[in-house]
Amino acid sequence: MKNLLRKDASAAMMFLVPSGVGFSLFYLIPFIMGVVYSLMDSTVGGHFVGLDNYRELLASGSFRKAASNTMFFSAVSVPLMLVLSLGMALLLNQNIYLRKWLRTAYVLPLVVPVASIVFIWQILFDWNGSLNAWLNHFGISRVDWMKTDAARVVVIAVYLWKNIGYNVILLLAGLQQIPKDYYETAKVEGAGRFRQFRSITMVYLTSTLFFVVIMSIINSFKVFRETYLIAGDYPHDSIYMMQHYMNNMFLSLDVQKLTAASVLMFGCILLIVLGLFLLERRHRRYME
């Protein structure tokens, strides 16, 4: 038995070592170097300055604006994403007309290149774009979508349209794993649809919802590509995100602020994910 375990451990290590080396080389080591640089006054021949870079960062108005916009975007878009994804998954789990075609339609944004998506949305929301043409046709004044606070609505819409299909697939898979016998038994006992949804669907979807929430939060912090391609380096203040700030620091070679901002962003995501893990664990214990 010991020899067999040793062989299994050796085989497992052979498969894990290449991935571990790649992870360390491209993720772990650069992150550690970034933490070290955030505590130095220069990347070449620098001296240890402690938390001075973080103090300057928190005192920066542009950083606070980017951080508040990012948190606002995540706080609004993630709940919307969760509600819409769950609603569409519940709808597609029923025997409705054109169900297969609708499933395909929700998956298509996942395979479309980001540049193509941005081009379409630029045509739609430009000052002379399709949406303003429709508004003008109905006697409504044009809206400069990307140079007003309405830019937030555009970015949230792009984020939802791009990522909702992935979450729908995950939730639909979770719904199909729930035995139908539970619903039939609940109907026999007189439970209504809301009671079935609360006591059966939500209970058995807990792990799937937990994963969907985490992925939605992570994706909300990666909305920079769409925003950058739509509005450029310095967009409207309402959509100036953390990635914009870090990208501008990189272009100005201010590595200390760049790395400090990335460490703070990592710490924020880590705290959110750990909090979600605690909530999920408490919920699981409560259900048990």
Side-chain angles (χ1 to χ4, degrees):
M1 188 65 181
K2 290 182 179 180
N3 294 331
L4 181 61
L5 290 175
R6 289 175 182 175
K7 291 181 180 179
D8 291 341
S10 300
M13 289 300 297
M14 290 178 63
F15 284 102
L16 290 175
V17 165
S19 299
V21 171
F23 176 79
S24 300
L25 185 62
F26 295 104
Y27 291 96
L28 183 60
I29 295 176
F31 175 75
I32 295 174
M33 292 176 63
V35 174
V36 173
Y37 287 151
S38 69
L39 302 173
M40 308 289 288
D41 60 357
S42 178
T43 56
V44 180
H47 300 85
F48 180 77
V49 294
L51 300 177
D52 289 349
N53 292 322
Y54 292 93
R55 295 190 188 97
E56 294 181 7
L57 192 68
L58 294 175
S60 172
S62 57
F63 173 78
R64 292 199 301 269
K65 177 174 63 178
S68 62
N69 286 338
T70 303
M71 295 304 296
F72 176 84
F73 177 80
S74 299
V76 173
S77 61
V78 172
L80 279 176
M81 173 69 74
L82 184 61
V83 172
L84 292 175
S85 300
L86 182 58
M88 291 181 180
L90 290 171
L91 181 64
L92 294 177
N93 196 41
Q94 306 296 323
N95 291 323
I96 61 173
Y97 184 64
L98 296 178
R99 181 175 62 175
K100 293 183 179 180
W101 290 98
L102 289 173
R103 290 178 180 178
T104 304
Y106 288 123
V107 174
L108 283 178
L110 297 176
V111 298
V112 178
V114 176
S116 301
I117 294 173
V118 170
F119 182 71
I120 294 172
W121 286 86
Q122 282 178 336
I123 295 175
L124 184 62
F125 287 101
D126 189 74
W127 174 256
N128 295 315
S130 302
L131 185 56
N132 278 330
W134 296 335
L135 293 176
N136 192 29
H137 177 72
F138 290 104
I140 304 173
S141 59
R142 293 172 181 262
V143 178
D144 198 353
W145 295 96
M146 300 313 301
K147 295 183 180 179
T148 61
D149 290 337
R152 282 179 172 173
V153 178
V154 176
V155 175
I156 291 174
V158 173
Y159 166 78
L160 294 175
W161 184 80
K162 174 65 177 175
N163 297 284
I164 198 170
Y166 179 68
N167 293 339
V168 168
I169 292 173
L170 294 175
L171 292 171
L172 190 58
L175 288 171
Q176 291 178 350
Q177 295 297 320
I178 302 175
K180 295 182 179 180
D181 296 341
Y182 294 165
Y183 294 102
E184 294 175 358
T185 303
K187 288 181 181 179
V188 172
E189 294 181 355
R193 290 187 176 182
F194 179 76
R195 183 61 183 274
Q196 295 177 30
F197 175 76
R198 186 187 65 181
S199 301
I200 300 176
T201 305
M202 293 303 295
V203 170
Y204 286 92
L205 273 183
T206 300
S207 58
T208 306
L209 285 172
F210 174 69
F211 180 75
V212 167
V213 170
I214 290 180
M215 294 304 300
S216 298
I217 292 174
I218 294 175
N219 288 330
S220 70
F221 279 86
K222 298 193 303 181
V223 75
F224 169 70
R225 294 178 304 171
E226 293 82 355
T227 308
Y228 177 80
L229 291 173
I230 291 175
D233 294 337
Y234 295 94
H236 187 264
D237 288 350
S238 62
I239 55 172
Y240 185 77
M241 303 293 184
M242 280 288 293
Q243 295 91 339
H244 286 96
Y245 179 83
M246 290 188 285
N247 183 64
N248 295 333
M249 291 301 102
F250 175 77
L251 293 176
S252 62
L253 298 180
D254 196 343
V255 180
Q256 288 71 43
K257 289 185 179 179
L258 167 63
T259 53
S262 63
V263 171
L264 287 178
M265 187 174 177
F266 168 79
C268 180
I269 296 175
L270 181 63
L271 289 176
I272 294 173
V273 172
L274 290 177
L276 290 174
F277 269 109
L278 291 176
L279 289 175
E280 194 269 342
R281 182 175 297 178
R282 287 186 178 182
H283 179 75
R284 185 177 297 177
R285 289 179 179 176
Y286 171 77
M287 296 308 302
E288 290 177 353

